[in-house]
Amino acid sequence: EGNDPRAFRIWGIQLQGNKLPPLALPEEAIVHQPDMNASLPEPQLKYGKAVLKGRVLDYQEGMGKATVFLAHATKMIGASENANINDKGEFFFETNITGVTPGKLEFNNRDFDFLIAPGEETEIIINFREWSRQQSRFHRDSPSYGERIYYKGYLASVQQELAANKIQTNVVRNHEKMLADVGGMIVEEVTNYLLPKHQEISQKIAEAPVSRACKEVLQAEADLSAADLICSVSRIIPQENAIRRSIPRDEW
């Protein structure tokens, strides 16, 4: 569709048979077994340089740039930085931070979550062939090409568990449905509507077959989601009233 960076492209078309060439996973593409009883490290403020590096398997020229989004206090919301990526699909990014920081690597219109920490190195290997297989209508039942993403370095086993996690930690996933549900409620009633949803997620986390450290991260995400919604109740109620009365958005 053209030379625009976001133009639609297809790689890996196979005209000689119905199978792709074998995928040679690098030696460092390992799924680390977690210590089921290990907790997360004690949180602390520590200023230092954190490194994110890795590789995109089956990389082709023209796949675009790698962009890093970080969620920490010294960065504006939505701020992004480029990670240098070479013609082999290898990328490198480093930054100074003050504590453990979650982030996303955006590449080829997909997001890959990671954690970085001061004085630590996080490495990820992105397996686009497996990612595409799982999304395909025709090949999703074909043999796997491995994991969609591999982690090495800082909290590698925990990050691998989080990448495979299927528990949704957002207390509300459908904002429009929530507004319809809370129609006519007062503040206390909206809060009582949200809390059981948080408790249901917490129960799923407690019963999940993952390590204690992974559960701690998931529970923190669920707690933050619930706290953010409860603190926003005073805005949710007027928003619901405006929608129910068909008031134009620019008059809210």
Side-chain angles (χ1 to χ4, degrees):
E1 287 196 359
N3 296 320
D4 183 86
R6 300 185 72 85
F8 188 82
R9 293 177 172 87
I10 297 176
W11 288 275
I13 296 175
Q14 175 61 276
L15 301 180
Q16 299 176 350
N18 58 6
K19 292 184 178 180
L20 293 172
L23 176 64
L25 290 173
E27 292 182 359
E28 58 270 28
I30 298 172
V31 176
H32 300 273
Q33 295 303 313
D35 181 345
M36 301 301 286
N37 296 315
S39 296
L40 292 174
E42 194 70 25
Q44 58 179 324
L45 288 175
K46 176 184 175 183
Y47 185 77
K49 191 176 296 296
V51 171
L52 172 72
K53 67 177 186 178
R55 176 182 170 191
V56 179
L57 303 181
D58 286 333
Y59 179 82
Q60 299 287 332
E61 184 180 358
M63 282 187 170
K65 62 183 181 180
T67 305
V68 173
F69 296 84
L70 296 178
H72 62 84
T74 61
K75 300 287 182 182
M76 294 179 61
I77 295 176
S80 64
E81 300 179 55
N82 289 336
N84 296 323
I85 185 166
N86 62 23
D87 56 6
K88 296 180 181 179
E90 299 166 340
F91 55 86
F92 182 87
F93 173 81
E94 62 180 2
T95 186
N96 289 313
I97 53 178
T98 57
V100 178
T101 301
K104 292 182 181 294
L105 178 77
E106 182 185 71
F107 180 78
N108 208 13
N109 298 325
R110 290 181 176 87
D111 292 336
F112 304 93
D113 295 318
F114 62 83
L115 296 172
I116 54 176
E120 301 286 350
E121 186 174 277
T122 296
E123 182 174 353
I124 60 179
I125 298 172
I126 299 171
N127 184 358
F128 259 120
R129 191 183 298 194
E130 175 61 16
W131 192 283
S132 297
R133 184 196 68 79
Q134 292 185 18
Q135 292 185 318
S136 170
R137 286 187 301 161
F138 303 107
H139 300 289
R140 64 181 57 169
D141 296 325
S142 300
S144 171
Y145 294 109
E147 300 294 327
R148 293 187 300 179
I149 184 169
Y150 296 88
Y151 292 87
K152 182 181 177 182
Y154 181 70
L155 292 181
S157 63
V158 177
Q159 297 204 55
Q160 193 79 54
E161 286 185 291
L162 292 171
N165 167 61
K166 291 182 172 58
I167 298 176
Q168 294 293 332
T169 55
N170 289 330
V171 172
V172 170
R173 298 179 60 189
N174 187 325
H175 191 72
E176 292 182 355
K177 182 178 184 306
M178 178 196 67
L179 291 177
D181 290 344
V182 302
M185 292 185 182
I186 61 175
V187 171
E188 290 79 6
E189 291 172 329
V190 177
T191 301
N192 291 334
Y193 165 85
L194 294 170
L195 287 177
K197 296 182 179 299
H198 172 259
Q199 293 169 358
E200 181 180 347
I201 294 172
S202 297
Q203 185 65 31
K204 290 181 180 179
I205 294 171
E207 296 173 353
V210 296
S211 68
R212 180 184 301 174
C214 183
K215 290 180 180 181
E216 290 173 356
V217 175
L218 295 174
Q219 188 62 57
E221 291 178 354
D223 293 347
L224 286 171
S225 175
D228 180 61
L229 284 167
I230 291 173
C231 290
S232 302
V233 169
S234 59
R235 295 195 300 272
I236 291 173
I237 292 177
Q239 184 180 4
E240 186 278 326
N241 286 333
I243 292 175
R244 181 156 41 90
R245 297 176 184 178
S246 300
I247 299 174
R249 182 176 290 271
D250 57 0
E251 296 180 15
W252 289 7

